[in-house]
Amino acid sequence: MFDTVGPPSPGHSSEAAGRRGVLNRLYGDPVEVWTREGRPVQFVWRDRLYTVHRILDHWVVAREWWKVSDSDPGERRFWRAEAATGGQVGTYELRFDTAGEGWLLIRAWD
């Protein structure tokens, strides 16, 4: 197993992000996600369909204590994606939990 630390937020600091008008919000909301070759391509968040235009980053965090069985790798897989609903484009961080096989929208920048 391996551990990685997620990449820095866009703007690399809340101060820099605030100066440019970029707002970072934490959510942790469950989302329904469609994937292609393991990568998110669309997701529904708060009854709105988002289409992923590009993946900005992807990383995996593995922890032994997250395992729920011997076959579970105990991973959380993260994707930072540029996505749009209607004409609004934003950056969204999605997380897939291998134990529960569920998706969360963790963070959004707008």
Side-chain angles (χ1 to χ4, degrees), residues 64-99:
E64 190 65 31
W65 63 83
W66 285 338
K67 296 176 109 180
V68 296
S69 69
D70 288 338
S71 62
D72 176 18
E75 293 177 350
R76 304 298 189 267
R77 299 176 188 163
F78 295 83
W79 283 266
R80 184 163 297 142
E82 182 181 88
T85 183
Q88 287 188 290
V89 178
T91 300
Y92 303 90
E93 190 172 289
L94 301 166
R95 185 187 87 187
F96 179 73
D97 178 355
T98 58

Side-chain angles (χ1 to χ4, degrees), residues 3-22:
D3 286 336
T4 61
V5 177
S9 300
H12 303 284
S13 77
S14 58
E15 182 181 324
R19 285 193 307 263
R20 290 191 312 227
V22 175

Side-chain angles (χ1 to χ4, degrees), residues 41-67:
V41 293
Q42 289 184 316
F43 60 94
V44 172
W45 178 46
R46 297 184 174 178
D47 298 322
R48 298 181 80 179
L49 177 65
Y50 291 78
T51 300
V52 174
H53 292 276
R54 65 187 175 123
I55 300 296
L56 303 172
D57 208 347
H58 173 253
W59 66 99
V60 177
V61 178
R63 300 279 192 261
E64 190 65 31
W65 63 83
W66 285 338
K67 296 176 109 180

